Amino acid sequence: MQASADVNQRIARISAHINPPSDNLQMEGSSNLKRENCRAKGGSPGFKVAILGAAGGIGQPLAMLMKMNPLVSVLHLYDVVNTPGVTADISHMDTGAVVRGFLGQQQLEDALTGMDLVIIPAGVPRKPGMTRDDLFNINAGIVRTLCEGISKCCPKAIVNLISNPVNSTVPIAAEVFKNANTYDPRRLLGVTMLDVVRANTFVAEVLGLDPRDVDVPVVGGHAGVTILPLLSQVKPPCSFTQKETESLTSRIQNGGTEVVEAKAGAGSATLSMAYAAVKFADACLHALRGDAGVVRCAFVSSQVTELPFFASRVRLGRNGVEEIYPLGPLNEYERVGLEKAKKELAGSIEKGVSFVRK
């Protein structure tokens, strides 16, 4: 009898990882094992992270990499399809974070309650010939719905917004939070880290260096000409010819298109985006922990230019963005690029604001 009871209890614990019952229900086969007694409450010290869009092309590798992060104690995976399978798969990884899956709109609030960091890659991917603006009508509605859930269930969470077009979806999120009286501009960050990752990689190729030893600030936005790599401020210090500058800038700006075309209809930049998103999320978690000197580029509410949102280097802390750094000295090529970026960016920001206000 004791052996049978032990087996039932182990089965109940295993079930609790994948599909914990509500707090007021007891698990089948156990008289005293409730949700708060199982490891789904959190297996290791750390932060609670939710990924919204976890079953998608970015979401799956992103979820896998976040499961490997020692700063994550609980990992919630939400999507409108396929989350049970993704959750089961990733939950088998022998790392500290406990994984729980949530499927469909009716479980969104459960997925978000109590989260410290929310990462949003949800939405449709780019396809050949499709611009980020072509994604707007679909992804704008998705982001609005998800941010309404955040404002209700975890208004103090740090939000990392990946869904494209970021130049418009971040203003959408801001307007949703304003409408709910939960807007804290420090806690809303558009993820432009992939532009930095690409810039570091491409510049390292030209210089013959390890990309991990290169740091290129990328400012502006996260689409086409709004992506402005400041090649005059590369670390380690170096110089480029005019042709190298133009070539590198163009490749960094069109990195997403390069991948879309190479995949020939089979997807967009999902793997490198997941890598970049995890790099940025890890920085946010270190900042939440209280680490000093955490500086990354991000698209945030800003007064660096006359625009209400702009990507630049920011210092992260326990409350999100603690400090926004000025652009620093620009050369003539960068000054011209900045004006082009601001013109394009202004329209994208207004498009996002208008979507919510209409």
Side-chain angles (χ1 to χ4, degrees):
M1 291 296 292
Q2 181 61 41
S4 177
D6 289 344
V7 168
N8 286 338
Q9 190 168 61
R10 288 200 302 272
I11 291 172
R13 283 189 184 277
I14 292 168
S15 299
H17 285 292
I18 306 303
N19 187 25
S22 59
D23 288 338
N24 60 347
L25 293 178
Q26 293 183 342
M27 298 179 193
E28 183 179 354
S30 173
S31 62
N32 61 1
L33 186 60
K34 298 181 181 179
R35 173 172 166 180
E36 60 267 25
N37 297 325
C38 76
R39 189 168 168 266
K41 187 179 178 183
S44 60
F47 297 100
K48 297 179 180 181
V49 179
I51 299 175
L52 309 184
I58 297 170
Q60 290 195 42
L62 171 57
M64 182 186 74
L65 293 170
M66 290 306 293
K67 176 73 165 79
M68 297 166 64
N69 192 310
L71 295 180
V72 179
S73 62
V74 175
L75 183 61
H76 282 191
L77 306 182
Y78 169 85
D79 214 320
V80 294
V81 293
N82 300 331
T83 32
V86 175
T87 303
D89 197 357
I90 289 176
S91 71
H92 292 180
M93 295 168 60
D94 59 348
T95 61
V98 173
V99 183
R100 297 176 59 206
F102 301 84
L103 179 65
Q105 180 84 29
Q106 70 278 8
Q107 294 189 358
L108 177 59
E109 292 187 8
D110 289 339
L112 290 170
T113 300
M115 294 296 103
D116 301 304
L117 174 67
V118 179
I119 309 170
I120 310 179
V124 298
R126 290 177 68 195
K127 297 176 182 177
M130 182 184 286
T131 68
R132 283 183 172 85
D133 279 342
D134 292 332
L135 303 177
F136 180 84
N137 287 331
I138 298 174
N139 288 357
I142 293 171
V143 169
R144 177 169 60 186
T145 298
L146 297 177
C147 288
E148 287 170 350
I150 292 169
S151 65
K152 182 177 180 181
C153 301
C154 54
K156 298 296 185 182
I158 305 297
V159 178
N160 288 180
L161 188 48
I162 299 168
S163 306
N164 275 318
V166 168
N167 295 351
S168 298
T169 55
V170 169
I172 287 171
E175 290 299 311
V176 171
F177 295 149
K178 287 176 185 177
N179 290 344
N181 294 317
T182 62
Y183 182 49
D184 183 346
R186 299 173 301 172
R187 298 178 185 273
L188 175 59
L189 302 100
V191 179
T192 61
M193 193 70 195
L194 181 52
D195 301 323
V196 176
V197 165
R198 286 172 173 151
N200 292 344
T201 300
F202 301 160
V203 167
E205 289 175 357
V206 171
L207 298 178
L209 298 174
D210 187 322
R212 293 169 293 183
D213 297 329
V214 176
D215 182 24
V216 184
V218 181
V219 304
H222 184 56
V225 298
T226 70
I227 301 168
L228 182 61
L230 301 182
L231 298 176
S232 66
Q233 298 181 27
V234 170
K235 293 179 182 179
C238 58
S239 60
F240 300 100
T241 66
Q242 181 70 15
K243 186 175 181 180
E244 286 174 331
T245 297
E246 292 173 357
S247 176
L248 280 168
T249 299
S250 177
R251 191 178 179 203
I252 293 163
Q253 290 176 339
N254 296 293
T257 302
E258 180 179 317
V259 175
V260 168
E261 291 178 349
K263 288 192 174 182
S268 58
T270 52
L271 302 177
S272 53
M273 182 65 248
Y275 166 80
V278 168
K279 241 187 134 168
F280 188 77
D282 183 66
C284 291
L285 293 176
H286 276 86
L288 279 171
R289 188 176 68 175
D291 291 13
V294 181
V295 178
R296 297 291 186 273
C297 291
F299 186 67
V300 298
S301 174
S302 173
Q303 295 181 337
V304 166
T305 70
E306 65 274 19
L307 297 173
F309 297 92
F310 198 80
S312 61
R313 294 169 71 247
V314 302
R315 179 171 59 83
L316 302 172
R318 284 196 168 101
N319 295 307
V321 177
E322 301 285 359
E323 183 178 4
I324 300 174
Y325 294 103
L327 297 182
L330 306 182
N331 61 31
E332 180 61 25
Y333 183 83
E334 291 162 351
R335 285 193 292 271
V336 171
L338 177 61
E339 294 308 311
K340 290 180 182 177
K342 288 194 295 185
K343 183 177 180 181
E344 179 79 17
L345 201 48
S348 298
I349 293 170
E350 177 56 33
K351 190 173 183 178
V353 172
S354 297
F355 176 81
V356 179
R357 291 184 179 177
K358 68 182 179 182

